[in-house]
Amino acid sequence: MSELLPYVEGVLSASQVADTAASIAAMQEPSGAVPWTTGEHVDIWNHVEAAMAMLVGGQVEAAERAYAWVPTLQREDGSWPMKIVGGEVEDERGEVNMSAYFAVGLWHHWLVRRDHAFVERFWPSVRAGLDWVVSQQLPFGGIRWTPTEEGALLAGSSSIYQSLRAGVALADLLDDPQPEWELAGGRLGHAVREHRDLFLDKATYSMDWYYPVLGGAVRGEAASELLATRWDDFVVPGLGIRCVDTNPWVTGAETCELVMALDAIGDHRRALQLLADMQHLRAEDGRYWTGWVFGDDVNWPHEWTTYTAAAVVLAVDALGEVAGHASAGSGIMRGTSLAPHFAELALECGCDSADELARSAGRPS
């Protein structure tokens, strides 16, 4: 089966991708939950990302068990708890980014498997989750990151933009229109493009730098300009990218997410280079270390993580279209299969009219 799996010539073969997907499945709990690493906590976002990677990496049964687990922890209001350990809730806070991401996973499953019954089975859970998420939207358009904390996170809100587009695509597939999501997406996209200063300040984290591009709200020349602003702060040639700009620590998951952001804007040369650079984190059996402290030259923390392995598989799948082989779901981060970008709305921020915004730079076409 490995010859049908994604690969990137000269970086990872199909059989190596299969090994990495199998390493994720090996850490899956009997319930179907996928923790960060064995014995660690589960959150819905990383769990869904792991399911996506297992699906394209040949671990279909494990992926579908992972999806079947997701609704079991959903609450009546549509949200999920932030942390689950051994099936028990450790952190009860509902987190918007996590509660939105099931939409991306379910749309990805549709792209790969074309199983309409599977989509119908989990649609109520996706719908309830996104309804709760949009209820947390702030006046400027960002999404409050939990109901009990002030402010919106830029990386999380950028990911929600992708989730809303996946949700609308699912709604179209099932003929169950969700106009409220489209309105929320229009406001959110505007906030991510025009009001990044109104989000909570997490500028030391590389995720805040590239996620507006990865989530799809920023495209074209504006995306290239945004990535240029902090490239030298975060990218460490030959190793990958830093998680935070203050520490000499490169991390595999963030590196592969930047790979997918670069792929999304057609910068395949740098994407392929970064994917190759981070392979020093790979173990012989296909697992991936979380990160590497350069200078001290040690892997830290001393763990292999499912979310790192998942990011690698999805990055390979994305680049497989131009440098190897890809699955039918490879465009999930480029957004080519999602619902169209939302009409831009600026209702409460004092910006120009929608007609003028439509002519402004940085709006996706």
Side-chain angles (χ1 to χ4, degrees), residues 209 230-242 247-251 255 258 262 269-280 292-295 297:
W209 163 55
R230 304 209 62 193
W231 184 271
D232 292 337
D233 295 336
F234 289 113
V235 176
V236 183
L239 294 178
I241 77 167
R242 298 174 190 249
N247 296 336
W249 180 44
V250 295
T251 48
T255 301
L258 178 57
L262 291 166
R269 179 186 62 81
R270 290 197 297 183
L272 287 163
Q273 185 61 60
L274 281 169
L275 182 63
D277 286 350
M278 63 80 60
Q279 295 306 317
H280 65 94
W292 173 261
V293 181
F294 53 94
D297 293 344

Side-chain angles (χ1 to χ4, degrees), residues 33-57:
V34 182
W36 282 21
T37 192
T38 302
E40 252 287 359
H41 76 272
V42 183
D43 73 64
I44 299 301
W45 198 102
N46 285 289
H47 169 90
V48 169
E49 189 92 331
M52 293 163 65
M54 289 192 293
L55 186 67
V56 299

Side-chain angles (χ1 to χ4, degrees), residues 37-328:
T37 192
T38 302
E40 252 287 359
H41 76 272
V42 183
D43 73 64
I44 299 301
W45 198 102
N46 285 289
H47 169 90
V48 169
E49 189 92 331
M52 293 163 65
M54 289 192 293
L55 186 67
V56 299
Q59 297 290 326
V60 177
E61 181 181 352
E64 295 189 344
R65 285 201 304 117
Y67 283 127
W69 175 85
V70 174
T72 68
L73 270 293
Q74 191 172 25
R75 298 181 287 212
E76 289 188 7
D77 64 1
S79 69
W80 279 270
M82 192 173 291
K83 290 184 179 181
I84 302 105
V85 180
E88 300 295 327
V89 176
E90 183 178 89
D91 189 335
E92 294 184 352
R93 291 176 297 167
E95 208 271 7
V96 289
N97 175 37
M98 297 176 188
S99 296
Y101 204 58
F102 195 18
V104 175
L106 189 58
W107 182 247
H108 181 259
H109 187 279
W110 165 253
L111 295 175
V112 175
R113 302 288 291 176
R114 297 289 170 171
D115 186 338
H116 202 275
F118 192 89
V119 175
E120 290 180 325
R121 175 183 174 188
F122 295 109
W123 171 240
S125 183
V126 166
R127 186 175 57 204
L130 285 178
D131 281 345
W132 179 78
V133 167
V134 300
S135 76
Q136 304 301 315
Q137 191 160 39
L138 296 169
F140 82 95
I143 311 290
R144 185 193 303 274
W145 75 283
T146 82
T148 57
E149 275 88 11
E150 294 296 327
L153 296 172
L154 178 56
S157 288
S158 298
S159 177
I160 291 168
Y161 184 83
Q162 180 196 24
S163 294
L164 286 170
R165 290 181 66 204
V168 171
L170 289 164
D172 290 345
L173 177 67
L174 297 176
D175 195 22
D176 187 7
Q178 302 295 322
E180 296 86 355
W181 301 354
E182 297 185 47
L183 293 172
R187 295 177 62 207
L188 177 59
H190 173 71
V192 172
R193 287 186 284 274
E194 305 296 337
H195 297 299
R196 291 193 285 272
D197 59 315
L198 297 181
F199 290 88
L200 295 172
D201 184 5
K202 300 291 182 182
T204 60
Y205 290 86
S206 59
M207 291 178 68
D208 258 34
W209 163 55
Y210 63 75
Y211 247 94
V213 179
L214 182 63
V218 179
R219 283 288 188 262
E221 184 179 349
S224 298
E225 290 174 353
L226 176 59
L227 293 182
T229 60
R230 304 209 62 193
W231 184 271
D232 292 337
D233 295 336
F234 289 113
V235 176
V236 183
L239 294 178
I241 77 167
R242 298 174 190 249
C243 177
V244 293
D245 61 10
T246 54
N247 296 336
W249 180 44
V250 295
T251 48
E254 281 79 1
T255 301
C256 287
E257 287 181 337
L258 178 57
V259 165
M260 290 185 277
L262 291 166
D263 170 73
I265 62 172
D267 191 345
H268 299 123
R269 179 186 62 81
R270 290 197 297 183
L272 287 163
Q273 185 61 60
L274 281 169
L275 182 63
D277 286 350
M278 63 80 60
Q279 295 306 317
H280 65 94
L281 296 173
R282 184 179 178 87
E284 289 186 5
D285 61 2
R287 294 180 293 177
Y288 280 84
W289 296 99
T290 300
W292 173 261
V293 181
F294 53 94
D296 291 342
D297 293 344
V298 293
N299 289 112
W300 185 87
H302 196 80
E303 63 184 17
W304 296 275
T305 39
T306 56
Y307 61 82
T308 304
V312 172
V313 171
L314 294 178
V316 168
D317 197 27
L319 288 176
E321 285 201 13
V322 296
H325 178 72
S327 80

